[in-house]
């Protein structure tokens, strides 16, 4: 008779335990074996074996000790920051930024270059990644993942840019070219989706498993989290709300708004529209977020301006809410962050008036480089998952 095989349950449990312990150390910092045993509901013996395995792989190290009362001090364990690195890249039509982060997510190197007239995206990424890694003082061989955040539609099947108004030189085949250029795996993701991930982890979403993140700035975008997972749609176009048909977004000539023209919702509340609203109320500015800042600073005199902007935003938010019915709507992007609670409260009031939906509309809180932070988190997630495949 053939030899029977027993399921690898003990090995699987060890992997799950190791994964859980490393996650705790990465998210909450140094801990003792006793603390890890308590938080993972394991015995102290199992926790000790777990730390030995993680130490042998170079993932964990002793960084100090902690007094536990009677008896010797307990060793404090922490994830090894230098175990590996990832690079996040935020691509824009004028500048592209790169940041190199260690295994714990701490940014250790940066770079920024002017790309306004560049027609060679591979050269742009090569330079910003190389400069960021050099600034961190590490070898490229230590980098395991590169994540690019770009505006536009990313094809879920190929992982390539399929359509972007702002980046005409960034084209299909770019991801393949970049993976041939770099040893670390390269991934391209929509910039708003990455900012959405940043808000999901440590921002205004508050742990909600169903929420939307709305980006308002020069352009518009929407990140959608359903059942805790990022939803991209069949072609990657989920969240391209600039093209959402809304009242007031018709062409001046009365013609039909198409994909080849500025989208309807973009016309109503995109960056240019916010500047026009601000000018109408006496708040002239060169950037849309400056309109919000000036209107809020003006107190009661800025209320009419804020209300008009909120009405424009609410037209899109209500359309999203009657379809997806999210628990939370997070307002982000330059306009959303600048508007803060003042804007969020007004949008919530307008939304509940327009339709029978009442989501919690909140201001995003990852105001510093949300796209870059999301790219780093996304890259680290992939690296950490690969450790236990």
């Amino acid at each position: 008779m053939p030899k029977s095989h027993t399921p690898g349950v003990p090995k699987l449990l060890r992997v799950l335990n190791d994964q859980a312990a490393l996650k705790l150390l990465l998210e909450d910092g140094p801990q003792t074996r006793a603390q890890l045993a308590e938080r993972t509901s394991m015995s102290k013996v199992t926790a000790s074996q777990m730390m030995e395995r993680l130490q042998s792989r170079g993932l964990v190290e002793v960084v100090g000790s902690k007094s536990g009362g009677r008896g010797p001090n307990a060793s404090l364990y922490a994830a090894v920051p230098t175990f590996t690195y990832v690079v996040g890249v935020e691509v824009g039509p004028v500048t592209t930024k790169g940041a190199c982060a260690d295994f714990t997510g701490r940014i250790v190197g940066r770079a920024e270059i002017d790309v306004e007239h560049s027609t060679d995206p591979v050269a742009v990424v090569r330079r910003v990644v190389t400069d960021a890694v050099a600034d961190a003082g590490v070898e490229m061989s230590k980098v395991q993942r590169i994540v690019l955040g770009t505006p536009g539609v990313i094809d879920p099947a190929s992982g390539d840019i399929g359509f972007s108004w702002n980046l005409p030189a960034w084209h299909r085949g770019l991801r393949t070219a970049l993976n041939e250029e770099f040893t670390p795996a390269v991934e391209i993701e929509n910039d708003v989706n990455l900012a959405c991930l940043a808000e999901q982890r440590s921002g205004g979403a508050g742990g909600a498993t169903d929420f939307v993140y709305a980006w308002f700035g020069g352009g518009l975008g929407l990140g959608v989290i359903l059942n805790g997972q990022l939803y991209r749609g069949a072609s990657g176009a989920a969240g391209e709300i600039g093209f959402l048909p809304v009242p007031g977004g018709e062409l001046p000539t009365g013609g039909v708004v198409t994909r080849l023209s500025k989208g309807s919702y973009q016309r109503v509340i995109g960056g240019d529209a916010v500047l026009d609203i601000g000018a109408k109320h006496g708040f002239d500015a060169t950037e849309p977020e400056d309109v919000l800042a000036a209107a809020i600073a003006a107190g009661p005199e800025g209320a009419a301006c804020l209300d008009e902007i909120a009405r424009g935003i609410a037209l899109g938010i209500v359309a999203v809410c009657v379809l997806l019915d999210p628990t939370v709507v997070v307002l982000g992007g330059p306009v959303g962050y600048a508007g803060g609670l003042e804007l969020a409260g007004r949008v919530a009031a307008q939304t509940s008036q327009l339709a029978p939906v009442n989501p919690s509309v909140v201001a995003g809180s990852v105001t510093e480089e949300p796209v870059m932070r999301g790219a780093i988190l996304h890259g680290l997630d992939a690296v950490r998952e690969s450790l236990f495949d």
Side-chain angles (χ1 to χ4, degrees):
M1 293 180 63
K3 186 176 180 180
S4 62
H5 294 277
T6 57
V9 174
K11 182 178 180 180
L12 175 60
L13 288 176
R14 286 197 298 271
V15 168
L16 293 175
N17 290 342
D18 291 356
Q19 195 171 19
L22 182 61
K23 186 173 186 289
L24 286 172
L25 293 174
L26 286 166
E27 292 181 351
D28 299 336
Q31 296 176 60
T32 66
R33 285 177 294 185
Q35 288 174 315
L36 289 168
E38 181 179 356
R39 297 190 64 184
T40 56
S41 300
M42 302 175 197
S43 69
K44 291 182 179 180
V45 172
T46 300
S48 296
Q49 294 170 342
M50 187 168 56
M51 287 299 98
E52 289 175 6
R53 289 193 296 270
L54 293 174
Q55 275 187 290
S56 68
R57 297 184 62 182
L59 291 164
V60 165
E61 63 185 351
V62 176
V63 294
S65 61
K66 180 179 181 180
S67 174
R70 295 180 180 179
N73 291 346
S75 296
L76 274 172
Y77 294 87
V80 178
T82 58
F83 176 76
T84 194
Y85 296 83
V86 300
V87 176
V89 178
E90 182 176 352
V91 179
V94 178
T95 61
T96 289
K97 302 177 183 178
C100 180
D102 65 24
F103 189 50
T104 67
R106 184 173 66 94
I107 293 176
V108 293
R110 289 182 175 276
E112 181 174 345
I113 61 173
D114 183 356
V115 298
E116 190 168 9
H117 303 295
S118 174
T119 58
D120 188 349
V122 174
V124 167
V125 177
R126 181 196 304 123
R127 181 179 165 192
V128 78
V129 169
T130 302
D131 288 356
V133 173
D135 188 54
V138 300
E139 297 293 328
M140 184 63 75
S141 60
K142 292 285 287 183
V143 178
Q144 200 169 339
R145 199 85 172 186
I146 300 169
V147 178
L148 276 62
T150 75
V153 175
I154 311 300
D155 185 337
S158 67
D160 245 324
I161 295 177
F163 172 77
S164 177
W165 273 107
N166 295 329
L167 301 170
W170 295 65
H171 50 76
R172 289 187 182 275
L174 177 59
R175 183 169 180 261
T176 299
L178 289 172
N179 275 300
E180 291 173 352
E181 175 78 19
F182 292 102
T183 300
V186 180
E187 185 174 354
I188 304 175
E189 182 57 87
N190 174 266
D191 53 359
V192 175
N193 282 348
L194 292 175
C196 179
L197 292 177
E199 288 287 351
Q200 180 189 32
R201 295 293 182 83
S202 56
T209 57
D210 292 272
F211 77 94
V212 295
Y213 169 83
W215 177 283
F216 295 96
L220 309 178
L222 190 80
V224 181
I225 299 290
L226 298 177
N227 295 321
Q229 300 297 315
L230 186 64
Y231 179 75
R232 297 176 176 85
S235 65
E240 291 296 317
I241 57 171
F243 293 95
L244 190 70
V246 295
E250 301 81 11
L251 293 175
T253 59
V256 177
V257 176
T258 70
R259 62 175 292 170
L260 299 178
S261 58
K262 184 186 290 185
S264 177
Y265 192 41
Q266 177 74 27
R267 292 175 182 276
V268 168
I269 204 63
D272 291 340
V274 172
L275 291 175
D276 290 343
I277 294 171
K280 184 173 73 172
H281 291 277
F283 300 106
D284 290 296
T286 57
E287 299 294 338
E289 59 266 32
D290 295 335
V291 172
L292 275 295
I296 291 171
E301 294 181 0
C305 179
L306 292 173
D307 284 339
E308 186 169 348
I309 293 171
R311 279 194 295 274
I313 289 175
L315 289 175
I317 296 303
V318 74
V320 170
C321 288
V322 295
L323 287 173
L324 300 178
D325 193 21
T327 306
V328 181
V329 175
V330 180
L331 301 184
V335 167
Y337 290 128
L341 295 175
E342 286 280 349
L343 181 63
R346 285 174 162 81
V347 172
Q350 294 283 346
T351 300
S352 61
Q353 289 178 12
L354 291 171
V357 292
N358 191 29
S360 174
V361 180
V362 302
S365 58
V366 186
T367 58
E368 294 296 324
E369 300 182 316
V371 175
M372 187 75 78
R373 174 52 56 186
I376 289 169
L377 287 170
H378 194 50
L380 286 172
D381 282 350
V383 169
R384 293 166 185 172
E385 287 173 12
S386 70
L387 294 172
F388 299 98
D389 284 345

